[in-house]
Every structure is written in C-alpha cells, then in structure tokens.
Amino acid sequence: IALVLIPTLYGGLYLWANHDPYGAFPNVPAAVVSEDVGATLSTGEQMDVGHRVADHLVESKSFDWHLVSRSDAMAGVNDGRFAFAVIVPATFSADLASTADYRPRQATVILETNDANNYMTTMIGNTVIKQVSASVAAEVSQTAASQLLLGFGRVHDQLGKAVDGAAQLGD
C-alpha cells in the first residue's frame, strides 16, 4: 500500500501545484517606476513614452502592479514586498527620440530582482521586459514612420528652395 500511495500522493501534489503556473500572476506584487522626463521632438511634439509604458503595465493587470518611486521599489524588492521592479529611466523618451540624431542611444528598461526571495522572478521579469520592449517598439515605430514621412516633406520643401537658389545664381 505504501509503495502505491506515496508515489501517487507525490504525483498528485506535483500536478496540483503546477496545474496553472500563470494563473496566479495577477496576484504577484510587482513595482513599476517611471522616472522618464520626456523629450521634445524636432516637430515640437512632446514624447513621453515612459509614463505610457508604466500606465499600460498597471492597466494590463498582468501582475499586481504598484506605481512607486525608485527607492520604494528597491526597498520592496529587497524586503520581499515586490517580486521584481521594472524601472523606466529618466532618459527613456530622449533615448528613443535620439534616432533622429547623429549619435542615437539605445533606450533601456531596468529589471530589479532579488533571487534571495525567489529565483523564478528573474525569469518572469525577463519575460515582462520582452513584452514591454515589443509594446514600446510598436509605439515607437508609429512615431518613427510619421517622423520619416514628415522628413520627406521637409526634404521636398528644401529641394524647392535649392532649385530657386540655383536659378537665382544662374541669373
């Protein structure tokens, strides 16, 4: 009886514990920090992607997101109140807007975890970062496309001025 009961009990508990590993994510507390100060595009349009990313995470309810300061997030990760923290740095929008500069910078999102609390949070957090990156890429590609089309309009206008200038020089 013991040879049958113990493996059955072990197998049953294992299956019960792992029946829906993603179903409890909305109950996992996580911090999101947006320090982004925004950026002004060459068109004068204000770009504030960091706060939109943070708001989108909170609204998604994929985790029990808490919008907090960096110090609260770090303290929460260290003492176990938060499983992990996603931090959007102050230069996030400026880095995204730098693609129009001669020296573009890569925009980054910081993931803070504490493996002493749970080693799985790093893997889960990396998945969240990939989703954030995909979301930002979709939003930024729309902005980049509109900037590119606007740039073509400017090139056309400037070429018209160049033609007029060349005609004046010719005269």
Side-chain angles (χ1 to χ4, degrees):
I1 292 175
L3 289 174
V4 172
L5 186 61
I6 291 175
T8 303
L9 214 84
Y10 179 77
L13 287 174
Y14 180 79
L15 289 174
W16 175 77
N18 292 305
H19 78 282
D20 186 11
Y22 303 107
F25 279 179
N27 300 326
V28 175
V32 61
V33 178
S34 178
E35 298 177 331
D36 190 17
V37 294
T40 304
L41 299 175
S42 59
T43 60
E45 179 185 351
Q46 185 66 21
M47 183 176 180
D48 189 9
V49 179
H51 293 299
R52 286 197 302 241
V53 167
D55 291 342
H56 177 71
L57 285 175
V58 171
E59 291 169 4
S60 73
K61 304 217 184 290
S62 55
F63 290 89
D64 182 17
W65 291 105
H66 298 270
L67 190 58
V68 296
S69 68
R70 183 186 280 249
S71 59
D72 288 342
M74 296 306 295
V77 168
N78 288 333
D79 66 22
R81 280 183 294 133
F82 300 125
F84 58 89
V86 174
I87 301 170
V88 181
T91 61
F92 189 72
S93 290
D95 292 343
L96 289 173
S98 73
T99 56
D101 297 342
Y102 292 110
R103 295 186 184 190
R105 299 174 306 277
Q106 183 176 7
T108 58
V109 176
I110 302 165
L111 173 67
E112 290 292 338
T113 61
N114 185 353
D115 288 343
N117 293 334
N118 187 341
Y119 74 95
M120 291 294 294
T121 57
T122 301
M123 294 184 338
I124 295 167
N126 285 330
T127 302
V128 170
I129 294 298
K130 287 178 187 175
Q131 291 173 346
V132 167
S133 297
S135 171
V136 169
E139 185 171 327
V140 170
S141 64
Q142 290 175 349
T143 303
S146 66
Q147 290 293 317
L148 183 66
L149 293 175
L150 186 62
F152 281 136
R154 284 191 194 138
V155 167
H156 175 69
D157 293 343
Q158 294 302 321
L159 282 174
K161 289 180 183 178
V163 167
D164 291 344
Q168 288 176 356
L169 282 174
D171 292 343

